[in-house]
Amino acid sequence: MPLPPASQDAPATTQAPLPEAQVVTPRMQAARDTLRSVVTQQDRLYRVAAPLLINNVELCRTQARGLLGFTAKNKWSYPGEYADASAAVLGYGDMLQVSGVLAGSGAARAGLRKGDGLIAADGKALPTGAGAETGAASVFGPLVSSRTQLSMTISRDGSTQVLKVPVTRACAMRIDLGNSDNVNSYADGARISVTRGMINFAQNDETIAYVLAKDIAHNVLGHAAASRNTAAIGAVIDNVTRVQPDQTMLTGTAGIRPLSADMEIAADNLALYMLVRAGYGIDRYKAFWQKLAAQYPASVQNGYVALHPNVGPRLMALDRAIPAVKAKQAAKKPLVP
């Protein structure tokens, strides 16, 4: 049966044009791939570091204080083309979003999640746009120092809610990925950066924890300042934590002085206690450093052993330190040096 003719009075209908799909150039795709890899490795470092930072408050001495227990970023946290990549890969915009939650922290217990948008803290609006990270620090700082709990207004799945987030007492050190393939890590007294090359060499979480624990120990013991390395190491950390570091700064030792045997042995000893308190094993600790020294000796100037020599004395001291720590652990004695 034929359809009736359309009415002369019926309004003409037109379909709205579909939005044009964004053309993703090879350069844009490369930026997205790079950022995705950086975020994945940073998340891993944060996860491995969590028990070391939270369970070692007693050993971190004056460097333990109240922390938020989470990190936050927006698209402006990344430079140039990586800002657009963060929007595509991570869904970032002008609002700060939770980029990582420290496992075992008050933030984790309160239910804060990666990707939550941050609107306000204790009723104080949090900044947006360029410079939001720095601006938020000026809001959070006084609150964390004077509160045991923060009231966080967040955006999640299109709705707004308020979470009561306990402040977490932990070792107050920033842990960041170093975007470099040299096998190294750096500790400037307040920060730690572990390079992509070191993560790939270490491979498993336990051995990554070995590296982190030793750097936490160096910071607690004040070794960067004692060796007059603070400025030089700080400059390297500033560089390698960029998405695209200046590789020319990493061709030698970058002006960092090698640490003494006494400092290395002291850091190893403290690191062993930190590891067992955090639930990590220490049976392979000595073997890891032996393997690293064999594959990347001190002659590799941008490698770990060039800045942390005295491998022989370290290994001899570990033969005494590891059994001592394990004996205390077995006897359920206080796990303190």
Side-chain angles (χ1 to χ4, degrees), residues 11-12 36 39 49 57 60 81 92 106 125 140 150 152 170 180 256 285 290 309 324:
R36 189 177 288 111
V39 170
V57 170
C60 278
E81 60 194 316
Y92 285 175
F140 283 128
L150 269 65
M152 295 293 305
S180 173
I256 302 172
Y285 187 84
Q290 283 177 308

Side-chain angles (χ1 to χ4, degrees), residues 248-266:
T248 62
M249 285 185 64
L250 301 170
T251 55
T253 59
I256 302 172
R257 298 175 178 87
L259 295 184
S260 69
D262 287 345
M263 288 181 180
E264 295 291 355
I265 291 168

Side-chain angles (χ1 to χ4, degrees), residues 18-41:
L18 294 173
E20 292 185 13
Q22 182 185 21
V23 176
V24 179
T25 66
R27 180 171 180 147
M28 291 168 64
Q29 187 60 52
R32 294 180 184 186
D33 292 343
T34 296
L35 187 61
R36 189 177 288 111
S37 175
V38 165
V39 170
T40 298
Q41 291 183 309

Side-chain angles (χ1 to χ4, degrees), residues 268-325:
D268 278 325
N269 191 55
L270 182 55
L272 291 170
Y273 284 96
M274 289 181 163
L275 287 162
V276 295
R277 291 167 65 103
Y280 290 109
I282 58 174
D283 288 333
R284 292 188 288 266
Y285 187 84
K286 177 182 174 182
F288 171 76
W289 298 112
Q290 283 177 308
K291 178 182 175 184
L292 178 63
Q295 294 193 22
Y296 295 93
S299 57
V300 180
Q301 289 195 341
N302 66 352
Y304 187 91
V305 181
L307 305 180
H308 303 266
N310 302 298
V311 175
R314 283 185 63 198
L315 298 180
M316 291 176 62
L318 287 174
D319 284 334
R320 299 186 297 272
I322 292 172
V325 174

Side-chain angles (χ1 to χ4, degrees), residues 165-204:
V165 179
V167 172
T168 301
R169 190 154 178 82
C171 301
M173 296 178 199
R174 179 162 179 158
I175 310 289
D176 281 315
L177 173 71
N179 293 303
S180 173
D181 289 324
N182 65 314
V183 180
N184 216 329
S185 68
Y186 306 94
D188 69 354
R191 298 177 296 170
I192 293 165
S193 179
V194 181
T195 67
R196 179 175 59 235
M198 178 63 89
I199 292 173
N200 292 337
F201 174 82
Q203 296 186 336
N204 63 64

